C-alpha cells in the first residue's frame, strides 16, 4: 500500500524553554511535514527560535502539558497528527514508522515505546512511575502496554472526537484510556530514548514524577473499569 501523502501529517511539539533542543528537533522533522511548536510560556526565546527554523508557532498561556498538546491538536489541519517531546529525547525522524501504522489501517493509535540508549537516560523514579501506570492502564482497559510515552500518531478528527479534557500531565494517558474505551487498536513501536537537552519539567525529579502519576491516576479514576481486552501485539 502507498505511503501517506507528505502533506498529510502535522507534528505537535509542546514546548517550554527548549531553546537548546529546538534546532536539532526541527531539523529531524520529515520533509514536507509541518512542525507545530506550541509555546507554553517559554522565557528563553524558544518561540523565536522555532519560527526561525520554519515551524508554525502557536501560543498556549495556560501552563500544562495537556493544554499545550490540545492547543496543537486544534491548530493542526492534517489528516494525521503526531505528538513528540521537544527536548531532543525522541527523534521525530522516526515518526513515519508510527504514521505508517495509522495510514495503512493497522492501528488507530500508534505509540512509541521508549528504549533507553544508555544508563541514566531514563531515571529510576520515572521508570517506576511509568511501570505503575502501565499496570493500572492494563487493569483499567485491558491494553497490555509497556510504555505510556509521548511519541504517538493518530487521525486528527478521531482524536478530537475522544473529547479529551485533561490539561496537565494526564493528557497522554487519557488519550489511551479513551481510545481503548472507543475500541481503538493500539500498537507500540520501539523507539530509542536519548539523553534530553536540559532538565525535565516532569520526570527530572521525584516530585515532578509523583505529580504526573497523581494526574494520571485521577484520569484513570474518571470511569469504572471495562472488560479485559488486549492491544494488537
Amino acid at each position: 500500500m502507498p505511503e501517506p501523502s507528505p502533506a498529510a501529517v502535522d507534528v505537535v511539539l509542546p514546548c517550554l524553554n527548549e531553546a537548546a533542543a529546538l534546532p536539532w528537533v526541527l531539523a529531524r522533522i520529515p520533509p514536507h511535514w509541518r512542525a507545530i511548536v506550541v509555546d507554553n510560556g517559554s522565557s528563553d526565546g524558544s518561540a523565536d527560535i522555532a519560527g526561525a527554523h520554519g515551524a508554525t508557532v502557536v501560543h498556549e498561556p495556560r501552563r500544562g502539558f495537556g493544554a499545550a498538546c490540545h492547543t496543537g491538536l486544534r491548530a493542526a489541519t492534517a489528516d494525521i497528527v503526531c505528538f513528540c517531546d521537544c527536548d531532543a529525547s525522541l527523534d521525530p525522524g522516526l515518526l513515519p514508522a508510527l504514521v505508517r501504522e495509522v495510514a495503512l489501517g493497522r492501528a488507530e493509535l500508534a505509540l512509541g515505546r521508549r528504549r533507553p540508549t544508555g544508563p541514566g537516560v531514563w531515571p529510576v523514579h520515572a521508570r517506576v512511575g511509568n511501570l505503575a501506570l502501565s499496570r493500572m492502564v492494563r487493569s483499567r482497559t485491558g491494553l497490555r502496554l509497556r510504555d505510556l510515552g509521548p511519541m504517538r500518531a493518530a487521525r486528527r478528527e478521531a482524536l478530537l472526537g475522544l473529547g479529551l479534557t485533561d490539561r496537565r500531565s494526564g493528557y497522554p494517558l487519557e488519550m489511551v484510556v479513551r481510545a481503548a474505551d472507543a475500541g481503538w487498536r493500539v500498537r507500540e513501536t520501539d523507539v530509542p530514548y536519548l539523553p534530553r537537552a536540559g532538565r525535565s519539567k516532569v520526570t527530572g525529579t521525584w516530585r515532578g514524577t509523583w505529580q504526573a502519576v497523581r494526574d494520571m491516576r485521577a484520569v484513570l479514576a474518571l470511569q469504572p473499569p471495562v472488560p479485559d481486552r488486549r492491544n494488537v501485539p
Side-chain angles (χ1 to χ4, degrees):
M1 297 182 70
E3 293 290 316
S5 168
V9 179
D10 284 337
V11 182
V12 174
L13 299 160
C15 176
L16 177 59
N17 293 328
E18 302 292 2
L22 274 166
W24 183 86
V25 170
L26 294 174
R28 300 291 299 165
I29 299 293
H32 308 298
W33 290 17
R34 182 170 65 141
I36 301 176
V37 173
V38 185
D39 188 69
N40 203 204
S42 298
S43 59
D44 66 349
S46 288
D48 292 337
I49 293 172
H53 283 78
T56 296
V57 179
V58 297
H59 297 272
E60 174 48 71
R62 295 172 298 169
R63 283 292 179 90
F65 184 78
C69 286
H70 204 69
T71 293
L73 175 61
R74 291 177 63 86
T77 57
D79 176 35
I80 295 178
V81 175
C82 298
F83 297 85
C84 187
D85 274 357
C86 204
D87 59 9
S89 64
L90 294 166
D91 182 355
L94 301 177
L95 283 169
L98 276 65
V99 168
R100 193 173 299 114
E101 297 299 305
V102 176
L104 300 183
R106 293 196 285 252
E108 284 73 47
L109 178 61
L111 305 175
R113 180 197 178 191
R114 293 169 291 184
R115 303 303 298 266
T117 57
V121 171
W122 201 349
V124 172
H125 53 271
R127 287 194 191 212
V128 170
N130 186 72
L131 177 61
L133 287 167
S134 296
R135 288 176 175 174
M136 284 188 272
V137 167
R138 177 177 176 179
S139 176
R140 166 62 178 75
T141 69
L143 293 176
R144 298 174 181 270
L145 299 177
R146 294 163 291 182
D147 188 18
L148 296 170
M151 180 181 273
R152 51 191 61 195
R155 295 192 184 275
R156 177 180 181 272
E157 291 301 320
L159 282 174
L160 290 172
L162 293 179
L164 303 177
T165 60
D166 190 272
R167 296 296 182 263
R168 292 167 58 92
S169 300
Y171 188 87
L173 182 137
E174 183 186 18
M175 185 185 295
V176 170
V177 170
R178 295 209 175 192
D181 287 351
W184 288 20
R185 290 165 297 172
V186 181
R187 295 181 74 108
E188 290 184 308
T189 298
D190 287 355
V191 294
Y193 195 37
L194 310 168
R196 60 155 290 142
R199 186 174 184 180
S200 172
K201 289 82 175 173
V202 177
T203 58
T205 65
W206 278 99
R207 181 178 180 180
T209 299
W210 173 240
Q211 183 60 59
V213 170
R214 286 184 61 187
D215 289 347
M216 294 184 185
R217 290 187 66 177
V219 169
L220 289 172
L222 289 176
Q223 299 181 30
V226 295
D228 184 55
R229 55 175 170 264
R230 299 185 181 185
N231 56 308
V232 180

